[in-house]
Amino acid sequence: MSEIESFDAIILGAGLSGLSAADSLMELGYQCAIVDTGFPGSGASGAPMMLANPATGRRARRMWRAEDCFESLLKYLIKIEKKTGRRCYSLNGVVRPALTAEIADDFNRSPDKYEWLAGWIEWIDAEKFSEQFPYFNTKFGGLYIPKGITLKGAEYCESMVQYLESENCYTLFGSKPEIIKNGNQWIIQIEGDIQLITRIVIDATGYQQTINKHWSFIPLHPIKGQTATLHFDEQIPLKHSVSSLGYIAVMPDHPNEITVGSTYEHLFQDQKPDPKGLSYLRGKLEKTLPGYWAKSKSVEQWASVRVSVQDKMPVIGEHPECKGLYFIGAMGSKGLMMSRYVADILAQNICNGIPLEPSLSLERFI
C-alpha cells in the first residue's frame, strides 16, 4: 500500500545547511520533511569536532556578518539543548598563535583594520602570549577570539534531528529518493512506495550538488578535508581551540582528546582517510604544538568533502528554470558559523518574498 504525504517544503540533505533550513522554515509556520540517503551528518557536517571561528584566513579577517552568524548559531544551540537535554558544544574561544613575524604583523593590525566590535578579538604580545600559552611553538604573540564555539559535528546533527522531530518534522534516512516534477508540484518517490509531495524542494546535499545537472551553472568546487582525533592518557593543558595551519579543536568536557583538521586535497580520487593525509596533519600539529602527536595513545581518522565557490560566499536561491527547486550550500569551511543565519535568509525569501542580496544569490552565476 502506498504512503502519500504532502508538505510545504522538503529538504534533501541532513547536514548543517539542510537541518538549519528545516528549522528556519518551521519557525515561519511551514510543515517540513527531511530526506537523506545516509544518516544525519553523514557528510562533511559530521566532523568529530569543528570550530565556529569568526576570524578567518591568514590575516584574521572579520567574517561576513560575523556577529549575526554567531548569535544565530548560539541561539540555535541553546534552543536545541533546552529541548533535548543534550549539549554538544563549548563556548571556549579560539586562539590563533602567530607562527612567523609576518603573521604576527597581520594579526596585530586585525582588531582595528577589520572594525571588530569590542570584546570580539584581542591581540596578545609575544611575552604575555608565551606566559599564557607556553605550549605553542611561537615567539611572536597571537590572537585570542572569545567568540569561538567548538562542537562535535555528528552529535550536533543528531541533536538537531531530535529537536526537529519533536516539533513534528518528518524525517526519512537511508533511502535514495527519486525527484519528479509534476506540474507545479514535486514528487519525492522513496523505495517502498512512499511518495512525498510538495511545491518546494531545497537541495542541501553538499557534495552531491557538484554532480547534479540542475546546478551545473554554479562553479562548485569540492574540497577534501581530513581530521585526526588524538587520545591521551592524561588531561591536556589546552582550554581553547586553536586556528593554526588548519585547526586544533578541544572541548573542556573532553580533556583527554584533540581533533586536528585541515583541507587536504583539491584534486582527490578517494573520499576516505588515507596515510598521506594523516602524515600531513601530523606535520601541521608539530609546527604548532611540538611533541603532542608522540604523547597520544591512539589516533582516529575521518575524512569528507565540503563544497565552496571562488568568492568563498554561500550560495542560496531558486533555480532559474525549475520553479520551486532551491539551493543552499557552498559554505566551505565556514558552514558551522554561517549555516543557521543563511538558512534564515533563504526561509524569508521563500516564505515572505524578501529579495536575496546579490552576494548570496545563485543568480550571480547566471
Side-chain angles (χ1 to χ4, degrees):
M1 183 176 178
S2 298
E3 178 184 341
I4 301 175
E5 294 197 46
S6 296
F7 298 91
D8 297 318
I10 297 174
I11 296 91
L12 306 178
L16 297 176
S17 295
L19 296 171
S20 295
D23 187 62
S24 294
L25 287 168
M26 289 169 63
E27 284 190 342
L28 294 174
Y30 272 43
Q31 185 181 11
C32 294
I34 300 169
V35 178
D36 197 302
T37 56
F39 53 86
S42 56
S45 298
M49 280 198 272
M50 60 178 71
L51 307 186
N53 173 24
T56 64
R58 177 182 175 86
R59 294 176 174 82
R61 184 187 302 272
R62 179 168 164 248
M63 197 191 80
W64 173 84
R65 302 269 180 92
E67 296 85 1
D68 293 326
C69 289
F70 180 85
E71 294 302 330
S72 183
L73 172 62
L74 185 58
K75 180 181 177 181
Y76 191 30
L77 287 167
I78 292 171
K79 180 175 74 169
I80 292 170
E81 182 184 4
K82 287 181 177 179
K83 185 75 173 187
T84 66
R86 300 174 63 177
R87 185 182 179 95
C88 57
Y89 70 97
S90 176
L91 186 58
N92 58 329
V94 175
V95 178
R96 298 204 62 180
L99 300 184
T100 69
E102 182 183 2
I103 294 174
D105 189 46
D106 286 334
F107 283 2
N108 194 4
R109 291 199 298 261
S110 178
D112 294 326
K113 182 176 181 180
Y114 299 115
E115 300 179 347
W116 287 92
L117 296 179
W120 274 74
I121 190 170
E122 175 189 0
W123 164 254
I124 304 174
D125 63 33
E127 182 178 355
K128 186 178 178 182
F129 192 88
S130 295
E131 291 175 359
Q132 285 187 243
F133 312 108
Y135 30 79
F136 287 122
N137 186 28
T138 181
K139 57 181 179 181
F140 300 107
L143 290 171
Y144 174 54
I145 302 102
K147 305 287 189 176
I149 297 173
T150 306
L151 61 71
K152 290 182 172 286
E155 292 183 17
Y156 178 38
C157 292
E158 292 167 3
S159 297
M160 282 195 278
V161 170
Q162 184 180 344
Y163 171 80
L164 291 167
E165 288 177 340
S166 73
E167 297 293 309
N168 298 317
C169 180
Y170 179 96
T171 60
L172 186 61
F173 305 118
S175 296
K176 186 176 180 179
E178 180 184 0
I179 306 166
I180 305 165
K181 180 68 169 174
N182 182 25
N184 62 354
Q185 291 184 326
W186 293 89
I187 299 173
I188 311 299
Q189 182 72 45
I190 311 292
E191 300 167 358
D193 294 327
I194 299 175
Q195 281 192 350
L196 309 181
I197 300 173
T198 185
R199 290 179 180 271
I200 295 171
V201 172
I202 300 177
D203 187 339
T205 55
Y207 177 60
Q208 293 302 312
Q209 294 168 329
T210 66
I211 56 177
N212 186 328
K213 64 181 181 180
H214 283 113
W215 311 118
S216 60
F217 65 93
I218 304 175
L220 300 170
H221 180 55
I223 309 164
K224 182 178 179 180
Q226 189 157 323
T227 71
T229 299
L230 282 63
H231 301 272
F232 301 86
D233 286 324
E234 299 179 352
Q235 293 187 11
I236 56 175
L238 288 171
K239 301 300 181 185
H240 314 291
S241 288
V242 183
S243 175
S244 174
L245 303 174
Y247 69 87
I248 304 166
V250 300
M251 294 179 68
D253 291 345
H254 302 272
N256 291 64
E257 68 179 56
I258 63 174
T259 293
V260 186
S262 181
T263 296
Y264 173 43
E265 291 180 295
H266 291 262
L267 298 173
F268 56 90
Q269 301 298 320
D270 194 338
Q271 297 182 44
K272 296 180 181 179
D274 55 64
K276 186 177 179 181
L278 189 65
S279 175
Y280 180 76
L281 291 171
R282 179 173 184 167
K284 285 181 173 287
L285 181 64
E286 283 297 311
K287 289 179 181 178
T288 305
L289 293 170
Y292 268 63
W293 196 282
K295 294 177 184 178
S296 64
K297 66 176 183 178
S298 64
V299 179
E300 297 174 26
Q301 291 180 262
W302 175 91
S304 190
V305 177
R306 62 177 183 262
V307 179
S308 185
V309 289
Q310 190 172 8
D311 64 12
K312 308 298 184 185
M313 288 292 287
V315 180
I316 54 176
E318 186 176 19
H319 193 282
E321 297 177 358
C322 299
K323 186 172 178 58
L325 178 62
Y326 288 80
F327 184 104
I328 181 170
M331 299 189 203
S333 61
K334 305 179 186 72
L336 175 58
M337 186 77 172
M338 288 184 166
S339 53
R340 190 58 178 80
Y341 180 68
V342 172
D344 279 343
I345 294 174
L346 178 60
Q348 288 290 347
N349 173 256
I350 293 172
C351 301
N352 298 321
I354 297 177
L356 300 174
E357 59 181 270
S359 64
L360 297 179
S361 174
L362 55 77
E363 290 186 359
R364 68 189 191 267
F365 304 111
I366 299 173

